[in-house]
Amino acid sequence: MSRVTARRKTTRLSPAGRIQRPDTLAVEEPLEIRVDGRSLTVTMRTPGNDIDLVHGFLFGEDIIASVADIVTARYCAGADSEGRNTYNVLDLRLREQVPLHTRNFLTTGSCGLCGKTALDEVRTRTRYPIPHDGMTLSTDVLAGLPAQLRIGQKLFDATGGLHAAGLFTADGTLLALREDIGRHNAVDKVIGWAVRENRVPAHDLVLVVSSRASFELAQKAVMAGIPVLAAVSAPSSLAVDLAAESNLTLVGFLRGETMNIYTGEDRLS
């Protein structure tokens, strides 16, 4: 069985009766991120594209600025009860010039701080402010991006339980798609891909997510300099406030030919 899916017994109830059968589920496992052998954080994720995940996470937390800041990334021994490597511990070595603080993580929606504090922190710490000129995007192209994202969600087809994030060009070309049990991890994975491909600042890219647009996802887009964030579901009020403060075009309820444009409408043609 794949590391990203698992089979479990289930009882299905329907008007036709009760049927016992196996079900395919998305795997959720911890990933411990270490720096020079010291534990930095643990995130619950779907295994796969872990290198992208750590690059995106560290970039979004303003710990690294480019792929050159990570010298090595390797899995450490994290054995299960049978002595097999779980591949759930990833140790990184940063360039000596990269400072690492004990707690360097940016504000999230669950931190308990006020919205103004959260907005100020992201705005003052992003390395790549989103320019007011530059990329424009056709609404016809934008309307077609969720369908492209959905076609690429192979793990969702198998499990029905994964979020997806995709990076697109302005003409609708899909560059990277990642799936994960956590929507923030899926975004970290595609931004990590962009970091590794030297595509940041991503002033010419569009981020599309299969979930709602929380403050945390808007924060990650702003940190990477992505000018457009589109979600198939609703944004949060703080995500809209951050988008307005940061010149981020934020679109929600992107379904078929309809969409809600919350900020940055002038970027859409």
Side-chain angles (χ1 to χ4, degrees):
M1 179 61 66
S2 167
R3 286 193 69 229
V4 298
T5 60
R7 300 280 277 179
R8 296 290 187 271
K9 293 181 180 179
T10 184
T11 299
R12 180 176 178 82
L13 297 180
S14 71
R18 183 189 302 258
I19 302 174
Q20 289 189 334
R21 66 179 191 181
D23 194 17
T24 301
L25 305 177
V27 169
E28 182 178 21
E29 292 182 352
L31 176 67
E32 180 183 0
I33 302 173
R34 297 178 182 174
V35 175
D36 295 327
R38 185 180 66 178
S39 182
L40 179 68
T41 189
V42 176
T43 184
M44 300 302 296
R45 98 303 189 196
T46 300
N49 303 114
D50 289 336
I51 303 298
D52 286 343
L53 173 59
V54 296
H55 277 77
F57 174 78
L58 295 181
F59 180 87
E61 299 299 340
D62 196 31
I63 295 174
I64 66 170
S66 71
V67 64
D69 286 338
I70 296 181
V71 178
T72 60
R74 64 182 182 86
Y75 288 101
C76 299
D80 60 15
S81 59
E82 298 180 6
R84 296 171 299 192
N85 194 325
T86 61
Y87 295 95
N88 286 338
V89 180
L90 199 55
D91 192 25
L92 312 173
R93 184 164 67 88
L94 304 182
R95 287 194 308 118
E96 292 183 1
Q97 295 85 351
V98 177
L100 180 65
H101 306 290
T102 302
R103 182 67 182 177
N104 196 31
F105 301 160
L106 289 174
T107 305
T108 67
S110 60
C111 70
L113 299 177
C114 70
K116 183 64 165 59
T117 301
L119 298 180
D120 287 345
E121 186 170 4
V122 176
R123 186 176 61 251
T124 58
R125 293 183 67 177
T126 181
R127 302 171 190 261
Y128 304 114
I130 299 170
H132 287 273
D133 55 0
M135 189 188 76
T136 59
L137 180 66
S138 163
T139 54
D140 290 337
V141 170
L142 182 59
L145 300 188
Q148 286 197 60
L149 192 72
R150 179 66 186 85
I151 291 171
Q153 291 181 251
K154 304 305 182 185
L155 295 178
F156 181 86
D157 288 339
T159 66
L162 290 173
H163 295 290
L167 285 176
F168 296 83
T169 61
D171 64 2
T173 301
L174 176 62
L175 298 181
L177 185 153
R178 300 289 185 265
E179 294 180 272
D180 199 278
I181 197 78
R183 60 183 182 271
H184 57 291
N185 289 335
V187 171
D188 277 339
K189 287 178 177 180
V190 292
I191 291 179
W193 171 88
V195 171
R196 296 178 69 202
E197 294 293 322
N198 291 310
R199 293 297 299 259
V200 290
H203 293 330
D204 58 342
L205 300 184
V206 180
L207 174 61
V208 180
V209 296
S210 64
S211 60
R212 67 180 186 273
S214 65
F215 170 81
E216 188 175 16
L217 300 195
Q219 164 192 303
K220 293 178 185 296
V222 170
M223 292 296 290
I226 297 171
V228 180
L229 169 60
V232 301
S233 190
S236 69
S237 63
L238 195 57
V240 174
D241 292 343
L242 176 60
E245 291 257 356
S246 306
N247 192 36
L248 170 69
T249 297
L250 180 59
V251 176
F253 296 104
L254 180 58
R255 301 169 183 176
E257 297 180 352
T258 64
M259 64 189 76
N260 288 357
I261 305 170
Y262 293 89
T263 61
E265 185 173 355
D266 57 333
R267 193 172 277 118
L268 302 178
S269 61

